[in-house]
Structures are given as C-alpha cells and as structure tokens.
C-alpha cells in the first residue's frame, strides 16, 4: 500500500513540473538580495544549503524551507528569495547533498532520477539535516532567534513531520503535504497551518483524519483549501503557463503565509 501511495505521489508531482524552470532562474538572477551556498556539517554529513538574506536594518526570523520531491530546483531557490524579500532569512538545505553520483547533490542526478532519490531518503537523516540547517541559521548574527518551517509537496509532509521533532518552532506551514503518524502528533508544540489544493483528492483524503487527530491531541491545526487549484499550485501558479485557478491560489496563499509569518 505504501509503495502504491508513493508511486501515486511521483506521478502526481511529475505531472505538475517541467524539467526546466528557466523563468524561476531568470527571476532569481534579477534579485538584489544577498544569496549564497554554505556547507552545513553535522555528524558525517555535509549539507549544501541555500541562504538568502533580507534587506533589513535589524535582526530577522528564520524560515527553513523544505524542497519538493524534485530536490533543490531553481524554483525553490527563487521561492527562498521571495521569502527573504518578505523580510526573513530563508534557509533551504539540499537534502540530496552527498547522495548524488560521485557524492553530488540534486543537480548531479540524471533527469528523472531525482524524485526516486528523494523518496528513498532516510527519515532520520532528513530530520538531522533539517535540524543542522536550522541550528546554523539561528546562530547567524543577523538572526532574531525565531524559527519557522515551510515545505511543499514531499516537503510539505516533511514539514508536518518536522514539527513533531522540533519543539522550538514558532509555526509550521504545510503546503499540500500529508500528516505524520497519529502518535507523533502529541510532540507538536507549534501551530500547524495547512495550504491545500481543491483538486488534490489524494492529499485531501487525509485531511479529515488529520483534523480529528490533531484536535484529539490538543494541537492547533488550521488548514485552508483553495478551490480549483491543483497539487503544486505554489510553483505552478507562478509558471508562464499557469491557469487562473493556480494563479489565484498561489496569490491568496502567499498573502496568507506572509500574514501568518508576521503575527
């Protein structure tokens, strides 16, 4: 059953993305904000991590960004820049660091192989990588010491799961990702905000149980569904060929996200 669900996830996500994201890369290259790749080390791993700084006078919170099942794409980097433009230090670790051919990362995989590699990542390794990236960012001189997390598709599910493992989160933002195991929800300290697509039956089928289980655990969970949008609308809504429903969902979700970050 898990294998069937995974295959469905791969097919669904693959239907929403093209191999090239030149439009995102072009937008990022025009950004005035400082961005850099840093190597975050923990245990025996080195995690290549994309960091973008806001243009701000004072210290700012950190937003940890968890990429889609497609790995560290141009769109993820452009999204990190948009988060920085909103006034936050954006930190996006490439969770395929060291896992690619010859010890490479996302960009070193052959076309079509990235999704398979991400889907087979060890959950404990993912958690350790995310914790290391978060700890690095929180120690930056420009950091205010406040941590948020947001993720998309596969990264949305990892965001929900990360909330069960990171007690100092200010909030978690799950974009069209599934919930963690029921028993793990008891460990969640932060409010979890959900962003879901109306035309995404696979993920939406998990919502009634997730709502009931979070309520039973005494946890704060606030999901919103965007009618007419498809899975991956935060990316698809920006693409040159975006349909109206995805454009609107992306715009509305972005406004909501920024407002919640500013609370």
């Amino acid at each position: 059953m898990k294998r069937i669900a995974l295959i469905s996830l791969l097919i669904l996500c693959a239907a929403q993305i093209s191999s090239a994201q030149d439009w995102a890369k072009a937008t990022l290259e025009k950004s005035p904000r400082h961005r850099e790749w840093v190597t975050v080390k923990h245990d025996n791993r080195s995690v290549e991590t994309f960091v973008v700084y806001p243009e701000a006078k004072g210290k700012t919170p950190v937003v940890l960004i968890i990429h889609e099942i497609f790995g560290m794409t141009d769109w993820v980097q452009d999204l990190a820049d948009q988060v920085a433009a909103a006034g936050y230090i954006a930190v996006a670790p490439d969770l395929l660091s060291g896992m690619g051919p010859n010890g490479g990362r996302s960009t070193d995989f052959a076309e079509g192989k990235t999704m398979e590699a991400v889907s087979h990542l060890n959950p404990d390794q993912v958690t350790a990588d995310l914790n290391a990236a978060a700890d690095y960012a929180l120690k930056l001189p420009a950091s205010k010491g406040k941590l948020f997390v947001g993720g998309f598709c596969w990264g949305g599910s990892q965001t929900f799961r990360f909330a069960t493992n990171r007690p100092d989160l200010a909030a978690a933002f799950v974009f069209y990702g599934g919930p963690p195991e029921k028993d793990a929800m008891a460990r969640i300290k932060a409010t979890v905000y959900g962003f879901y697509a109306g035309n995404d039956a696979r993920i939406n089928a998990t919502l009634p149980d997730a709502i009931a289980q979070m309520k039973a655990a005494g946890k704060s969970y606030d999901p919103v569904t965007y009618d007419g949008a498809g899975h991956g609308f935060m990316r698809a809504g920006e693409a040159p060929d975006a349909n109206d429903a995805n454009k609107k969902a992306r715009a509305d979700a972005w406004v909501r996200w920024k407002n919640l970050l500013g609370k």
Side-chain angles (χ1 to χ4, degrees):
M1 181 62 71
K2 288 184 177 180
R3 180 174 178 80
I4 293 173
L6 174 59
I7 291 173
S8 298
L9 172 64
L10 297 180
I11 293 173
L12 181 58
C13 288
Q16 300 290 336
I17 191 170
S18 63
S19 59
Q21 296 177 353
D22 292 342
W23 52 273
K25 184 176 181 180
T27 301
L28 179 64
E29 289 176 348
K30 297 175 183 177
S31 170
R33 285 165 289 282
H34 177 80
R35 57 190 187 273
E36 62 187 17
W37 282 95
V38 299
T39 302
V40 177
K41 296 184 177 181
H42 71 91
D43 302 318
N44 295 318
R45 280 185 54 69
S46 295
V47 183
E48 301 306 314
T49 303
F50 188 64
V51 182
V52 190
Y53 290 86
E55 295 182 321
K57 289 183 178 180
K59 296 184 178 183
T60 58
V62 170
V63 179
L64 179 66
I65 296 170
I66 308 180
H67 59 65
E68 299 171 293
I69 202 166
F70 310 109
M72 182 57 66
T73 60
D74 290 328
W75 175 75
V76 177
Q77 295 173 59
D78 180 41
L79 178 75
D81 182 70
Q82 294 178 54
V83 170
Y88 304 88
I89 299 172
V91 182
D94 186 341
L95 299 172
L96 285 178
S97 296
M99 311 301 290
N102 301 314
R105 55 185 183 88
S106 290
T107 53
D108 296 302
F109 281 87
E111 185 173 351
K113 296 294 185 181
T114 309
M115 292 187 296
E116 181 181 359
V118 171
S119 68
H120 285 93
L121 285 173
N122 181 287
D124 291 338
Q125 176 179 297
V126 170
T127 299
D129 286 356
L130 294 174
N131 276 326
D135 291 343
Y136 167 84
L138 290 174
K139 293 175 183 176
L140 291 170
S143 168
K144 193 176 182 179
K146 187 175 185 179
L147 176 66
F148 298 97
V149 63
F152 308 82
C153 182
W154 175 86
S157 299
Q158 294 301 318
T159 294
F160 215 148
R161 192 177 70 84
F162 188 60
T164 71
N165 294 308
R166 186 80 189 197
D168 63 339
L169 283 177
F173 304 97
V174 176
F175 289 83
Y176 31 86
E181 295 294 329
K182 176 183 176 181
D183 293 344
M185 291 178 177
R187 301 197 302 267
I188 295 176
K189 303 295 184 183
T191 297
V192 178
Y193 297 96
F195 301 74
Y196 301 96
N199 298 342
D200 192 4
R202 181 187 63 86
I203 290 296
N204 292 348
T206 69
L207 292 183
D209 282 348
I211 292 170
Q213 290 165 3
M214 286 287 282
K215 184 177 180 180
K219 306 303 176 181
S220 182
Y221 179 42
D222 184 11
V224 171
T225 300
Y226 299 89
D227 291 341
H231 186 87
F233 64 79
M234 287 298 288
R235 170 179 33 76
E238 288 189 81
D241 60 350
N243 62 40
D244 289 342
N246 283 339
K247 283 182 180 179
K248 185 177 187 308
R250 195 268 172 199
D252 291 349
W254 181 233
V255 169
R256 181 186 180 222
W257 192 14
K258 288 193 292 184
N259 286 340
L260 292 172
L261 283 168
K263 288 179 63 175

